[in-house]
Amino acid sequence: SSDDVVNPTNAITRYVDDSESDIVYQISMSKSTKKGDDVVTIGVHELVLNEKCPVFDDDNCEKVFVSVEFLDYPAEYLETPYALVKGEPNTKYSFDFQTECSVRDQPKKQQLAELVEPRSSGEIKFVVVAEPPEDQPSLDCVDIGVATVNAKQLLHNQTDHINQSIDVYGMDDQKKVVGQMNVTVSIVQALNKVTRQGQNVRRIQS
């Protein structure tokens, strides 16, 4: 529903800064009116891929974007709105994408609570995706790397992950670092709320 994700509005600019050899996509965000413990903020700010990334060896990979895997939100809600043209290794791609996911309804609260349960990995995944040329409609997008933020660690440390860099690992070899990504995950208030509610329910039931 429109309540689930506060999507960006207005003032969209896309340009290439030749002086820095950086590829930039900028987007201004609408301000949230929701309570902090009812939303999770997820952002993808910058991406740098190094020479070990397979995207540079594949002529069928023309652009890159990032898709976030969080709860049961559809991919189109949590992917950068634009794919940016593939540059040289160590080019900085600036997406400046940030959105807020509502966790007010009971199904979302349940999923959020399950994210930090013992049997869960606790991982929120940021997947780097390569897009084929527009004149090759038969080709599919390819996942080329993944970075993760662990919600369990954020809850344990009581610290959100704001504009911090994380390693991007190859899909075929998840010990090989193929880049870095600067991201935001603001989730601790929402996790505190659902874990408190879960503890209260268990006390009542016992």
Side-chain angles (χ1 to χ4, degrees), residues 126-144:
F126 294 76
V127 181
V128 182
V129 185
E131 193 174 90
E134 292 181 4
D135 61 359
Q136 299 284 344
S138 62
L139 297 178
D140 294 325
C141 292
V142 179
D143 295 347
I144 56 173

Side-chain angles (χ1 to χ4, degrees), residues 59-74:
D59 291 337
N60 288 324
C61 296
E62 188 173 82
K63 298 179 180 180
V64 294
F65 66 94
V66 178
S67 178
V68 185
E69 296 178 6
F70 175 63
L71 305 186
D72 66 350
Y73 278 102

Side-chain angles (χ1 to χ4, degrees), residues 74-152:
E76 60 267 23
Y77 283 162
L78 291 177
E79 62 185 29
T80 54
Y82 277 72
L84 298 179
V85 177
K86 177 179 69 176
E88 296 297 317
N90 300 312
T91 294
K92 181 171 68 177
Y93 305 88
S94 294
F95 291 101
D96 288 335
F97 166 71
Q98 188 163 295
T99 194
E100 294 180 337
C101 304
S102 170
V103 288
R104 284 189 297 176
D105 64 35
Q106 193 55 43
K108 288 291 190 294
K109 287 179 181 178
Q110 181 64 32
Q111 292 167 30
L112 195 63
E114 290 171 354
L115 182 64
V116 291
E117 286 183 348
R119 65 175 180 270
S120 169
S121 70
E123 289 185 344
I124 299 169
K125 293 184 178 181
F126 294 76
V127 181
V128 182
V129 185
E131 193 174 90
E134 292 181 4
D135 61 359
Q136 299 284 344
S138 62
L139 297 178
D140 294 325
C141 292
V142 179
D143 295 347
I144 56 173
V146 61
T148 60
V149 172
N150 194 291
K152 289 183 177 182

Side-chain angles (χ1 to χ4, degrees), residues 152-170:
K152 289 183 177 182
Q153 290 181 355
L154 299 186
L155 178 63
H156 176 76
N157 296 332
Q158 287 293 295
T159 305
D160 286 319
H161 194 104
I162 307 296
N163 286 94
Q164 294 186 32
S165 291
I166 52 178
D167 287 334
V168 179
Y169 294 92

Side-chain angles (χ1 to χ4, degrees), residues 16-42:
V16 176
D17 183 348
D18 293 326
S19 64
E20 297 290 337
S21 72
D22 290 348
I23 301 170
V24 179
Y25 174 79
Q26 290 190 329
I27 190 161
S28 67
M29 304 304 301
S30 56
K31 291 185 178 180
S32 171
T33 57
K34 295 188 175 74
K35 288 176 58 179
D37 58 4
D38 283 330
V39 297
V40 173
T41 302
I42 292 178

